[in-house]
Structures are given as C-alpha cells and as structure tokens.
Amino acid sequence: MDNRVATRYAQSLFDVASQQNIVSAISDDLNAITTALNADPRFKTFLENPSMNREGKLKLMESVFSDRVTALTMQLFRLLLDKRRESLIGLVAEDFDRLRRAASNILFAQVVSAQPLTESEQKAIVSKLETSSKQKVEATFDTEESLLGGVKVHLGNSVMDGTVRGSLNRLRDKLLYDILKQA
Amino acid sequence: MAQETKSSGSTTIFGIIIGIALMCGGAYLHSIHAFQSIEGPLESAGVPLQIGTTISVAGVFLILFPVINAFFISPLMTAINDRNRELENTFSEAEGLRKEMADMKAAYEKRIGDTEAEAREKIQAQLKEAQELRTQLMSDAAAAKEHLISQAQEEITREKDKIMTELRVEVANLALGATEKLIGVNVTNDTNKKLVQEFIEKAEVPSK
C-alpha cells in the first residue's frame, strides 16, 4: 500500500520536475535527505513520530534543508507532512530515482564486494558495465564480508557473481547435483 | 359245515339209541345175573366188578355224552381252538414283527452303511478341501513372505541410498565449510584485488 502511494507521489514529483527541467537537482536533494535520515536514526525517528507537532517538523526541515534543496523538494516535504506521509520519503526518493533512470535510459547496478573498492575499481566496474550493456550505468557500492572475496553485481534482473562465496555456492550446487543424480 | 353238523346230529342220535340199548340191556343182564360166573371169581379175588351195571353205566354215559359234549367238551374245544388260533396269530404277528425288524435292521444297516459311505466321502472331500486350502494358504503365505522380503529389501536399499546421499551431502558440506574457512583465512587484500580485476576483465552483462 505504502509503495503504491509512494509511487504516485514520486510520479507527480517527477512530472513537475521534468517540466521544470530540474530532475537531476531533485534527485540530488532526495538523495541528500535520505542519506541524512539514514545517517542519523534520531532524526528519522523524530520525523516519523506521529505524536510530534507537524509545524515543528516543518520548521526543523526548513531550518535544515531550505537553503540546500530546491523549492519543489520543500513543497514535497510540506505535502507529505500535511498528509502525514512523512515516513514515505525514502520510498519516494527510490521511486523518483527509478523514474529518472528509466526516462534517461540509465541502468542501476548494486555492486557488493567483500572489501571496500577503490575509486578506480568502482569506475572500472561502472565503465565495464556500460561498455557491456551499451547503456549508462549508475551504481551503489556496498561491502559484505561473507562474500570472502571478489565482486557481485545486481544489474536489473541479472546477477553477475565474481565472488569466492559465489564460486563456493556453485561448487556446492554442482556437488549436490552430482550426488543427487547418483542417488 | 352244515353237512358236518348234520353228520354230528345223526351220530348223537345213534349214540343215544346205543346208550339206551346198553342201559336197558345192562340192567336186564344185571337183574338176571348173567355174568355170575365171571363176577364170582373176580369178587373173591378182590375185584368187585358188576359187568351188567358197568354196561348200564356205559349206556348212561352214551346217553349223557351229547350233553357233556354240548356243555363241556365243545366250549373247551372252542376255547382250545381259539387259544391255538390266538397263539398262531401271535406267532404269526411275532414272525411278521421279526421279519419287519429284520427288514428294518437290514434297512438300518444299509442306511448306516450309506451314511458311513457318505460320511467317508464328505470327510474325504473335506480333507481334500482342507488340503487345497492348506496349499493355497501356504502359497499365499509364501507369496506374502516374498512380497514382504522384497519390500523390506527395497526399503533397506532406499534407506541405504538415502543415508549414503545424506552422508555424501554432509561430506560435501564439511569439505566446502573447511574450504571456505581456508579461503577466508587465505584471501588477502592482493588476492581480493586480483579477483576484482578478474571480474572487471571477464564480466559480461547477460543479453536480455
């Protein structure tokens, strides 16, 4: 239910931003806000607390973001606070990015590695993905120690697994397949 | 029968006439002592026989004989005859009963014989049936035993295969776990960079 509502807000925001040609700026705003929310759980708790005064929330948001984000983004904040949908801000940001990428024919890649990648490695991976897919690629980079080593990329519906964990899993699947085939 | 009665009647009358003649003749002879020459020596010898009186008594007897016959001899004869007939009938009935009993005994013996034969046949039939049933039951039991053994063997084989499979899976998991730990210890920063580089070189986006 929340997803559908968030998608509708995101679609409206994207339509207006497209008309004003500020899609990229709005995307940056939303990313900055979600980063701030994720970085400080107290800020997120305050914003999503239903017992808190709406005016107080708006004042805080304006004091923190009014000189950093566009007027349209602030308008979205006000609307969400009016409708008591402030908890959807993260989902709206995700959907907006999805719409922006779809409109610009950009692929989204989630890159997970066992150890943090250097900037050159990140660029090289994005470049490789762009070359291979013949599309522009935007990527997020995360680390997951349980992968043991290597890189795994989720691109659309595809997964490219170059991790040790993936190799071990494939080996395990092969062994199990052979064992069950023998049985 | 009528002729017999008529003959009997004439004999009676003849007897009465003879009796009267003897009675009268005897009395007359006694009165004239006609037999004195015989009676005298006899009397002296201790035998007081009066022949004339005896002849008269014989004549009286002949006269009274029909009465004796009518009132004593005939009913006695009838009774004897009746008794004889009754005895004959009894014997005849007894004979008939004996014969009937013999027939019944024969029939009974025949029936016993038939019954025994029938019983023997039935016993034989039952024995045969029991034998067949026994054979059938033995056959069924053997088949059931074979089936159970086969099922048990199949189950044992299945269980064995299952355990072997589980064992192999367990061994594979243990081997992979050990491998994972070894790799986890041995993957250095350089190795990781090499892996990343390898991925960058070989990665291909799957075609849609």
Side-chain angles (χ1 to χ4, degrees):
Chain A
M1 180 65 185
D2 279 356
N3 278 340
R4 284 165 61 190
V5 175
T7 303
R8 288 170 68 180
Y9 278 107
Q11 185 66 56
S12 303
L13 180 67
F14 182 76
D15 291 344
V16 176
S18 298
Q19 283 170 8
Q20 296 179 8
N21 204 20
I22 52 171
V23 172
S24 180
I26 296 292
S27 176
D28 290 344
D29 292 348
L30 291 174
N31 284 332
I33 291 165
T34 49
T35 304
L37 284 173
N38 291 332
D40 190 350
R42 285 176 304 166
F43 181 32
K44 192 177 180 184
T45 308
F46 167 77
L47 194 65
E48 291 178 359
N49 190 344
S51 62
M52 289 295 171
N53 186 306
R54 188 182 67 85
E55 294 301 325
K57 288 181 185 177
L58 188 58
K59 273 184 185 171
L60 180 74
M61 293 299 283
E62 280 177 345
S63 66
V64 174
F65 293 114
S66 60
D67 55 344
R68 299 182 190 176
V69 299
T70 58
L72 187 59
T73 309
M74 282 311 296
Q75 245 180 311
L76 173 73
F77 272 142
R78 285 191 200 97
L79 185 64
L80 290 174
L81 287 168
D82 272 344
K83 301 289 181 187
R84 297 198 172 280
R85 300 282 192 185
E86 54 268 34
S87 62
L88 297 180
I89 187 75
L91 290 172
V92 173
E94 279 180 25
D95 280 334
F96 185 86
D97 266 347
R98 185 176 52 76
L99 290 167
R100 179 182 59 78
R101 286 190 208 106
S104 309
N105 201 23
I106 296 170
L107 285 175
F108 176 64
Q110 280 180 296
V111 181
V112 188
S113 57
Q115 293 175 12
L117 298 173
T118 59
E119 202 173 326
S120 63
E121 283 170 339
Q122 290 179 0
K123 278 181 185 171
I125 288 170
V126 170
S127 170
K128 176 70 180 185
L129 293 174
E130 282 176 346
T131 312
S132 181
S133 64
K134 297 182 178 68
Q135 278 182 266
K136 188 172 168 46
V137 172
E138 283 182 5
T140 59
F141 296 91
D142 295 310
T143 54
E144 199 177 308
E145 281 184 16
S146 66
L147 296 178
L148 299 173
V151 186
K152 181 157 82 173
V153 177
H154 297 264
L155 186 71
N157 294 325
S158 309
V159 177
M160 288 166 277
D161 195 349
T163 62
V164 177
R165 163 72 55 202
S167 300
L168 285 171
N169 285 342
R170 282 191 293 277
L171 179 61
R172 183 192 308 274
D173 291 344
K174 176 78 169 60
L175 283 171
L176 289 178
Y177 176 77
D178 288 344
I179 288 167
L180 293 173
K181 202 177 168 186
Q182 275 180 2
Chain B
M1 183 69 181
Q3 195 171 354
E4 194 181 332
T5 309
K6 194 176 174 182
S7 167
S8 175
S10 59
T11 309
T12 305
I13 291 165
F14 180 70
I16 289 168
I17 292 166
I18 296 292
I20 292 168
L22 286 172
M23 184 181 70
C24 293
Y28 175 72
L29 289 170
H30 182 73
S31 63
I32 64 170
H33 299 289
F35 299 108
Q36 193 61 44
S37 57
I38 301 167
E39 289 172 354
L42 282 172
E43 192 171 356
S44 58
V47 182
L49 179 66
Q50 293 174 344
I51 295 171
T53 304
T54 303
I55 291 168
S56 292
V57 170
V60 170
F61 180 75
L62 282 174
I63 292 164
L64 291 175
F65 183 76
V67 176
I68 292 166
N69 185 42
F71 287 101
F72 294 100
I73 298 172
S74 286
L76 187 60
M77 289 300 291
T78 306
I80 289 166
N81 288 334
D82 287 348
R83 179 67 183 157
N84 283 338
R85 272 198 299 280
E86 196 178 332
L87 285 169
E88 280 173 7
N89 286 338
T90 305
F91 281 127
S92 172
E93 276 178 19
E95 184 63 23
L97 284 170
R98 194 190 63 77
K99 193 181 172 193
E100 194 179 337
M101 281 186 70
D103 291 346
M104 279 173 73
K105 188 186 167 195
Y108 177 69
E109 282 174 348
K110 185 175 180 297
R111 208 166 69 190
I112 284 174
D114 291 348
T115 307
E116 278 178 356
E118 193 180 343
R120 270 197 301 277
E121 276 177 19
K122 279 188 179 171
I123 287 166
Q124 288 300 321
Q126 289 293 318
L127 280 171
K128 192 179 171 191
E129 197 177 327
Q131 191 67 29
E132 284 172 1
L133 188 63
R134 180 176 165 274
T135 310
Q136 181 64 41
L137 284 172
M138 293 281 283
S139 167
D140 289 351
K145 187 186 85 177
E146 287 299 321
H147 180 64
L148 282 172
I149 288 169
S150 165
Q151 255 186 343
Q153 278 173 343
E154 278 175 19
E155 204 167 322
I156 287 165
T157 308
R158 259 202 311 274
E159 280 299 314
K160 197 179 108 188
D161 291 348
K162 190 180 159 194
I163 288 166
M164 286 301 288
T165 305
E166 284 173 359
L167 204 62
R168 283 179 186 137
V169 169
E170 194 59 31
V171 168
N173 282 334
L174 283 170
L176 283 165
T179 310
E180 189 179 313
K181 279 181 186 168
L182 275 173
I183 290 170
V185 171
N186 291 317
V187 171
T188 59
N189 202 23
D190 288 343
T191 319
N192 187 54
K193 284 192 181 301
K194 208 179 278 180
L195 285 167
V196 172
Q197 204 55 46
E198 200 175 309
F199 176 81
I200 292 166
E201 283 166 14
K202 291 182 180 174
E204 283 296 330
V205 176
S207 54
K208 290 179 185 175

